[in-house]
Amino acid sequence: MNKKLLLGCLFVGILLSGGLTSCQQEMQEPARITLLNNSWNMNLPLMAQAKLGGAVQADSLPVIKEVEKGFAISFTVNLEIPTFDRHILEIPGVLDVCLRQHNPLDRNKQNYPAYKMPDGSVPVLEAGLELKSPVDGHMERMIIGIPLAMLNQPLGEHEVILNFSGVRWTMYVDGKLLDNDFPLGYPLPEKMKNWKIDSHFVSQAAIYYPSLHPERAEGATVGLQPQVQFWTPTGHNAWVGDVVSLYHDGTYHLFYLYDRRGHQSKFGRGGHYFEHLSTKDFRHWTEHEAAVPIEEQWETFGTGTPFIFNNQLCISYGYHTTRIYPREQTTLPELYEYLDKHGYTGSFNRHQMSGVAAGSSYSVSDDGIHFRKTGILFHPCENPSIYVDPKGDLKMLANYGARGTWASDSVSGGWHCLDENFPLGGDCTFFFHWGDYDYIIGGFTRLWAKETVQPDSVYQDVVAEGLDFYNGSCVPTITEISNNRFVMAGWMWMKAWGGPLVIHEMVQLPKGRIGTKWMDELVPAVSPDAITLSGSSDKIEKIPSGSFLLTFEVTPVGPDGKLTVNLLPSADKGTQDACEWKLDSGEKRAQYAFVGDKDSRERSLREGGAPQQGRNYAIENLIDTDKTFTVRMVVKTSDKFDGSLVDTEIAGKRTMVSYREKLAVERLQFHYENMEVKNVRLSLLTE
């Protein structure tokens, strides 16, 4: 240990005297989401097409004449811990329902280890359906399933319903929707000749043609409602994808692409659609029915924007049909042919076109809750970002399959290009206006700004100047709310595409620079008891929970001050998977890194780093760290995450978020040079 570091550690012992103590702090009610009820009325017909049970464990099936209308199977199962794969219900060549042990280390697609049995094992119930592709005719198995440990009573008798509607392939257990996917193709009806059950597990089964039409039970979900910050949709494999938002008539609307399996639903095509949350005060949130649901097999949606047009709440989006069908089989050639001929886009009713719909469309709402698809294709780009500029003009930034800035007098067509070279396209660019400045944020890594009075041609690259506000969240969207406040919402990259919801507030500084801070309304709830460092200690050897809020004050006392907080696992793991957060006041930099290399230097976005990946990265040009400032750090550990999310706020002006795979924090240690640290408090999160 060098001399400066030794002095810093000794100073902690002098400053924080007395050992670990407990103190009280005022508790804030957390912001929560009132979720829709996940109990469903299945509306089973009085008569089934066929049944099994008792002495009849196998039988023939009646002919299914219209497989496009789907089918459903209900069965009563006695769940046990399987010692080997047990095929408990089968339609040979079509359906296989299996009870098996899953590898506790395998998180791919289904994320089954989010729920483990007490012994660490992961028994799962799966249903695999063989589908023939409508594109090239190949057969592929679509699997839905659950880890048994997610059930209130993992073992014993349960009622299971498998429903194939053509658009959805869904598993319900005891009346709750626990997994689904979005099919591409249909089973071969000529193979649906026979079926059988393993009577050791399944006591009775029934099959119904066509599929069922379940109805959601009324009322909200019973029980504790989840907190908003770092929220993920209910389930082992469900995540928040791209977020878009709008504040209108006193209500903040947050739309997100619902993701299962980390972009691997619909055989890897995504299977995304827009879900909807809203709030009036950012403390009480409401979940609504999907704003833009998948209603046809070929549908999978890309990011757009919500906006107001003709006094209606609208949301634009792209049909990502080219992920499924070749371009020549979609409507894109016709859309481009019209654009090339006329110099502006047409307005097409997708139901009257010969190709499979692709390109830009939108939905409208009269009440801000219920949306209807217009069916209008107005542009060939597949991620349309529509907004109204400060002059009241309707504009669009074209992404994914097109680029440039466009304008029109109507959403439904007539879009002409203003600048084909800016922005450069890519994923999910958004415009926002704040005070005297206009900004365009470019998905994962880009940001431009200019004064509002200046022409669009003078937008400056803020990332190139090292003055961006990217903080580890992905595809952030920015929205003005009440009292000149701005909110940034995005998602955190974890195992794959999609993750927890992250919302921060923004701060505008002189010359239009923007920083970020925690939103007061969304700070996670903590226990009233706080642990404080004292005595000669510069560390906490045993943190009772891996989810906590850490706060402390920092004062630079010399040039080139350095501060490090090490987030460590249990002592037997040493520094395995540990996280280091480091701040350098002389360079005005902060970074996340691995523990062990005190001289490591991560790269900022300007330097080629990747904050959007949410692992090791740096931010630069910190604000107000040359005087006493406060650091707040939330660490959120979750079995679903398979690790910890770390969210750090610096001086109320910058934030940075990181995902630390496999890390469950049990110990904490400070190191610093030319810095004073005081008022260290650690409070456990209540959830």
Side-chain angles (χ1 to χ4, degrees):
M1 182 180 294
N2 63 44
K3 183 176 181 180
K4 286 185 178 180
L5 183 58
L6 176 62
L7 291 174
C9 292
L10 290 173
F11 182 76
V12 175
I14 298 171
L15 178 67
L16 307 170
S17 59
L20 294 182
T21 63
S22 177
C23 59
Q24 297 287 319
Q25 63 182 16
E26 183 179 351
M27 292 185 66
Q28 171 182 295
E29 283 297 317
R32 297 190 182 277
I33 307 174
T34 300
L35 297 177
L36 292 170
N37 200 325
N38 193 35
S39 295
W40 295 76
N41 301 317
M42 302 310 301
N43 299 321
L44 286 170
L46 295 176
M47 296 291 293
Q49 267 62 41
K51 291 185 176 182
L52 295 176
V56 183
Q57 300 176 33
D59 203 353
S60 60
L61 284 171
V63 175
I64 182 168
K65 296 180 180 180
E66 296 179 281
V67 71
E68 294 80 8
K69 293 185 178 181
F71 66 91
I73 294 178
S74 66
F75 60 95
T76 302
V77 60
N78 183 45
L79 295 176
E80 299 178 0
I81 302 297
T83 55
F84 57 91
D85 291 2
R86 305 300 296 264
H87 302 275
I88 64 175
L89 189 155
E90 294 178 85
I91 302 176
V94 175
L95 174 67
D96 179 18
V97 181
C98 182
L99 189 62
R100 66 175 183 85
Q101 285 284 0
H102 184 76
N103 182 352
L105 301 179
D106 181 6
R107 297 257 176 176
N108 186 38
K109 294 183 181 179
Q110 286 290 76
N111 197 37
Y112 287 139
Y115 293 88
K116 296 179 180 179
M117 301 294 279
D119 64 357
S121 65
V122 186
V124 301
L125 176 67
E126 286 186 328
L129 185 65
E130 299 289 338
L131 302 175
K132 181 179 180 180
S133 169
V135 181
D136 58 16
H138 81 280
M139 301 299 297
E140 192 165 357
R141 174 173 289 192
M142 177 167 281
I143 294 176
I144 54 176
I146 62 166
L148 302 192
M150 76 182 300
L151 302 173
N152 291 333
Q153 295 181 335
L155 306 182
E157 188 172 282
H158 294 274
E159 299 296 327
V160 179
I161 292 180
L162 303 173
N163 195 41
F164 174 76
S165 69
V167 176
R168 288 176 175 79
W169 172 224
T170 308
M171 176 181 287
Y172 299 86
V173 180
D174 300 328
K176 296 185 182 298
L177 194 165
L178 298 187
D179 196 16
N180 67 356
D181 203 341
F182 300 94
L184 186 60
Y186 294 90
L188 296 177
E190 61 269 24
K191 287 194 173 185
M192 295 182 67
K193 295 180 178 180
N194 303 286
W195 67 324
K196 60 183 178 178
I197 59 174
D198 182 338
S199 60
H200 179 79
F201 295 95
V202 177
S203 58
Q204 58 183 355
I207 189 166
Y208 305 90
Y209 308 155
S211 63
L212 305 178
H213 297 281
E215 295 179 340
R216 190 188 300 274
E218 295 183 359
T221 296
V222 177
L224 185 66
Q225 304 298 327
Q227 295 189 42
V228 175
Q229 192 70 293
F230 315 136
W231 173 77
T232 65
T234 303
H236 55 293
N237 60 5
W239 307 99
V240 172
D242 290 355
V243 176
V244 295
S245 56
L246 178 75
Y247 187 76
H248 178 63
D249 285 345
T251 299
Y252 177 77
H253 297 271
L254 186 147
F255 305 91
Y256 68 93
L257 289 181
Y258 185 95
D259 174 79
R260 284 194 191 269
R261 302 173 183 85
H263 216 296
Q264 293 303 305
S265 287
K266 198 181 277 287
F267 296 133
R269 276 80 167 189
H272 297 126
Y273 62 95
F274 273 114
E275 288 281 6
H276 181 198
L277 306 174
S278 72
T279 180
K280 291 184 179 296
D281 60 6
F282 289 88
R283 294 192 184 278
H284 304 88
W285 294 67
T286 302
E287 181 183 33
H288 305 288
E289 295 287 357
V292 187
I294 291 177
E295 297 173 303
E296 301 190 52
Q297 275 206 358
W298 54 267
E299 286 184 316
T300 183
F301 296 97
T303 311
T305 47
F307 58 97
I308 303 299
F309 184 73
N310 287 341
N311 297 315
Q312 284 186 311
L313 175 55
C314 308
I315 181 169
S316 63
Y317 44 81
Y319 288 117
H320 279 191
T321 319
T322 51
R323 293 178 178 174
I324 300 173
Y325 287 93
R327 183 179 183 275
E328 58 271 17
Q329 295 182 26
T330 72
T331 57
L332 290 180
E334 190 171 350
L335 297 180
Y336 272 110
E337 181 182 3
Y338 187 98
L339 174 61
D340 293 341
K341 180 178 180 179
H342 298 276
Y344 55 86
T345 68
S347 178
F348 296 87
N349 184 333
R350 71 169 182 82
H351 300 286
Q352 299 174 1
M353 303 180 75
S354 58
V356 185
S360 300
S361 189
Y362 68 107
S363 293
V364 298
S365 173
D366 297 319
D367 60 6
I369 298 175
H370 305 92
F371 289 79
R372 62 184 183 276
K373 297 173 183 173
T374 62
I376 295 173
L377 298 176
F378 61 84
H379 196 282
C381 85
E382 296 180 53
N383 276 8
S385 179
I386 295 177
Y387 64 97
V388 178
D389 74 7
K391 297 179 181 178
D393 295 330
L394 194 64
K395 290 185 177 180
M396 179 181 70
L397 306 175
N399 306 275
Y400 195 94
R403 66 181 190 181
T405 304
W406 300 68
S408 178
D409 294 327
S410 171
V411 180
S412 59
W415 290 92
H416 60 278
C417 188
L418 301 177
D419 186 343
E420 65 179 356
N421 295 315
F422 182 82
L424 298 177
D427 268 341
C428 316
T429 51
F430 303 116
F431 170 91
F432 66 101
H433 167 79
W434 191 349
D436 296 328
Y437 293 87
D438 294 342
Y439 306 86
I440 293 177
I441 184 169
F444 291 95
T445 59
R446 296 171 175 174
L447 179 65
W448 299 273
K450 71 174 184 67
E451 293 184 39
T452 301
V453 297
Q454 296 176 313
D456 289 353
S457 59
V458 301
Y459 269 106
Q460 298 295 311
D461 187 340
V462 179
V463 172
E465 299 173 356
L467 300 176
D468 63 274
F469 51 76
Y470 280 98
N471 68 346
S473 60
C474 290
V475 195
T477 178
I478 289 86
T479 299
E480 180 180 7
I481 59 173
S482 59
N483 301 318
N484 196 36
R485 298 172 70 191
F486 281 71
V487 172
M488 180 172 77
W491 55 275
M492 187 73 203
W493 192 291
M494 288 192 167
K495 295 294 185 181
W497 195 93
L501 176 65
V502 179
I503 303 176
H504 286 166
E505 189 169 348
M506 310 187 80
V507 292
Q508 190 179 47
L509 305 166
K511 297 183 179 180
R513 186 184 174 188
I514 290 178
T516 54
K517 66 177 183 177
W518 288 0
M519 193 173 191
D520 290 341
E521 293 91 335
L522 301 185
V523 176
V526 297
S527 166
D529 296 323
I531 299 171
T532 61
L533 276 177
S534 53
S536 59
S537 178
D538 62 354
K539 56 190 174 183
I540 299 175
E541 289 291 357
K542 181 62 178 178
I543 300 174
S545 168
S547 297
F548 56 86
L549 168 64
L550 174 69
T551 64
F552 53 92
E553 293 180 5
V554 182
T555 301
V557 294
D560 300 324
K562 293 177 174 58
L563 165 67
T564 298
V565 179
N566 287 336
L567 303 173
L568 305 167
S570 57
D572 62 302
K573 293 183 178 179
T575 60
Q576 178 182 343
D577 306 316
C579 173
E580 175 188 88
W581 178 78
K582 180 186 293 185
L583 184 146
D584 188 316
S585 64
E587 291 197 39
K588 296 186 180 297
R589 293 172 64 93
Q591 69 176 36
Y592 288 110
F594 295 121
V595 172
D597 183 1
K598 66 182 182 64
D599 296 321
S600 67
R601 182 183 178 87
E602 301 297 332
R603 294 180 297 171
S604 69
L605 183 57
R606 178 185 64 86
E607 296 165 333
Q612 74 277 9
Q613 294 179 1
R615 301 303 196 269
N616 292 343
Y617 68 93
I619 61 173
E620 52 187 337
N621 294 305
L622 296 178
I623 306 163
D624 290 346
T625 55
D626 54 352
K627 55 188 177 182
T628 298
F629 61 95
T630 298
V631 174
R632 296 193 290 178
M633 180 183 294
V634 162
V635 178
K636 174 72 172 180
T637 300
S638 164
D639 290 336
K640 184 174 180 178
F641 295 171
D642 190 30
S644 296
L645 184 152
V646 184
D647 183 357
T648 304
E649 180 196 61
I650 308 165
K653 299 290 195 305
R654 294 298 304 273
T655 58
M656 52 191 311
V657 192
S658 180
Y659 168 61
R660 315 308 298 188
E661 188 173 14
K662 305 296 183 183
L663 174 62
V665 180
E666 292 192 15
R667 298 175 295 141
L668 183 150
Q669 185 164 21
F670 285 87
H671 300 279
Y672 46 87
E673 308 170 29
N674 296 326
M675 294 277 202
E676 290 182 358
V677 174
K678 59 183 180 179
N679 296 330
V680 178
R681 296 168 59 91
L682 187 149
S683 304
L684 302 183
L685 302 190
T686 58
E687 299 166 30

